[in-house]
Amino acid sequence: MGSTLDSTEAQTLAVIDRLYDTYPDLEISLHFSSRLELLIAVILSAQCTDERVNTVTADLFEKYDGPADYANADQEELAEDLNSVTYYNNKASYIRSACEDIIEQHDGEVPDTMDELTELAGVGRKTANVVLQHGHEIVEGVVVDTHVQRLSRRLGITEEERPEAIETELMELVPEDDWQWYTHLLISHGRETCTAINPDCEECVLEDICPSSKVDNDVDLASNEAW
């Protein structure tokens, strides 16, 4: 009980299979109706809950329509519209700058390549992956958010700490057809059971193959600290 399978590959596949059975109805939790709205929502979601972002964008997307509205928005007014999300001043600046570039360099359309997306203000590889996957239906990598980072380490799938290094390893271990949904499987499990502070190990479908299980182990491999 509470130990990994014989290989990291077998461990990864077992985790994926069990979580598919547990969470059959996977979907992105951010609300959007266009690629630009998706981009903005993902920028806002950095270090902020999707639930909070959805609350803010419900009004934001009614007020602003298209990249020109954001690019021409007053910085202070846009920041005030975002003031219940983390780092709202910075995010307002990122959104304005990104929309200026979308107008000037991409004919008003959200670009569809990793290189072009990551050149936009406030857009790193994680954000770009989300926009590609759910906006353009292009799967080029694995989105590594805090849930994926925590659970992939906790479950003994990776020992890497940086999101970029974790993604590189996951792209070797996770079947390509599962790249997009691996993220949502771990997000669902991270919210429902394998929470950051007090995971419900006794009720977890992965407990018997989890080397961080509190039932049998003393250390949380996500942090390498004692429970």
Side-chain angles (χ1 to χ4, degrees):
M1 300 291 286
S3 59
T4 56
L5 298 179
D6 292 340
S7 70
T8 308
E9 291 79 4
Q11 178 79 359
T12 304
L13 293 176
V15 166
I16 292 170
D17 287 345
R18 293 192 193 187
L19 292 184
Y20 269 131
D21 288 340
T22 306
Y23 308 102
D25 301 315
L26 297 170
E27 60 182 1
I28 186 171
S29 55
L30 293 170
H31 298 166
F32 63 95
S33 61
S34 69
R35 290 166 179 164
L36 179 63
E37 288 184 357
L38 173 60
L39 173 65
I40 290 169
V42 183
I43 290 173
L44 294 177
S45 71
Q47 300 185 33
C48 186
T49 66
D50 288 356
E51 182 179 13
R52 169 59 60 186
V53 171
N54 288 335
T55 299
V56 171
T57 56
D59 293 327
L60 190 74
F61 295 160
E62 287 289 329
K63 181 174 180 179
Y64 300 92
D65 182 22
D69 278 3
Y70 292 100
N72 296 325
D74 177 77
Q75 168 69 21
E76 291 185 3
E77 182 178 357
L78 181 56
E80 182 62 25
D81 292 330
L82 306 177
N83 68 6
S84 63
V85 303
T86 53
Y87 307 112
Y88 59 90
N89 280 310
N90 288 341
K91 290 176 181 178
S93 179
Y94 294 153
I95 290 169
R96 291 176 67 244
S97 176
C99 286
E100 288 174 359
D101 287 345
I102 286 171
I103 293 168
E104 295 173 4
Q105 301 176 24
H106 304 289
D107 297 322
E109 300 294 331
V110 175
D112 62 358
T113 70
M114 178 65 70
D115 288 344
E116 289 174 323
L117 282 166
T118 53
E119 288 177 354
L120 299 175
V123 178
R125 186 172 174 89
K126 184 193 81 170
T127 297
N129 265 323
V130 176
V131 173
L132 288 173
Q133 291 178 12
H134 295 281
H136 294 285
E137 297 185 0
I138 297 171
V139 180
E140 194 170 305
V142 179
V143 177
V144 180
D145 73 345
T146 55
H147 294 286
V148 174
Q149 187 172 11
R150 179 176 76 251
L151 269 66
S152 295
R153 287 176 52 81
R154 187 173 278 174
L155 289 163
I157 292 173
T158 183
E159 295 181 357
E160 299 289 349
E161 297 182 357
R162 295 182 302 103
E164 295 83 358
I166 292 172
E167 183 186 9
T168 298
E169 192 157 6
L170 291 177
M171 288 170 67
E172 296 176 356
L173 292 168
V174 176
E176 189 169 351
D177 286 346
D178 297 315
W179 282 1
Q180 179 173 359
W181 298 111
Y182 177 86
T183 298
H184 295 285
L185 290 170
L186 267 63
I187 288 174
S188 296
H189 196 57
R191 288 173 175 166
E192 294 291 327
T193 302
C194 195
T195 55
I197 303 301
N198 189 29
D200 188 3
C201 295
E202 292 186 358
E203 298 299 322
C204 180
V205 297
L206 303 174
E207 190 280 324
D208 61 308
I209 61 170
C210 179
S212 298
S213 168
K214 295 187 295 181
V215 176
D216 300 294
N217 299 285
D218 299 324
V219 175
D220 176 10
L221 295 181
S223 62
N224 283 323
E225 295 180 357
W227 287 114

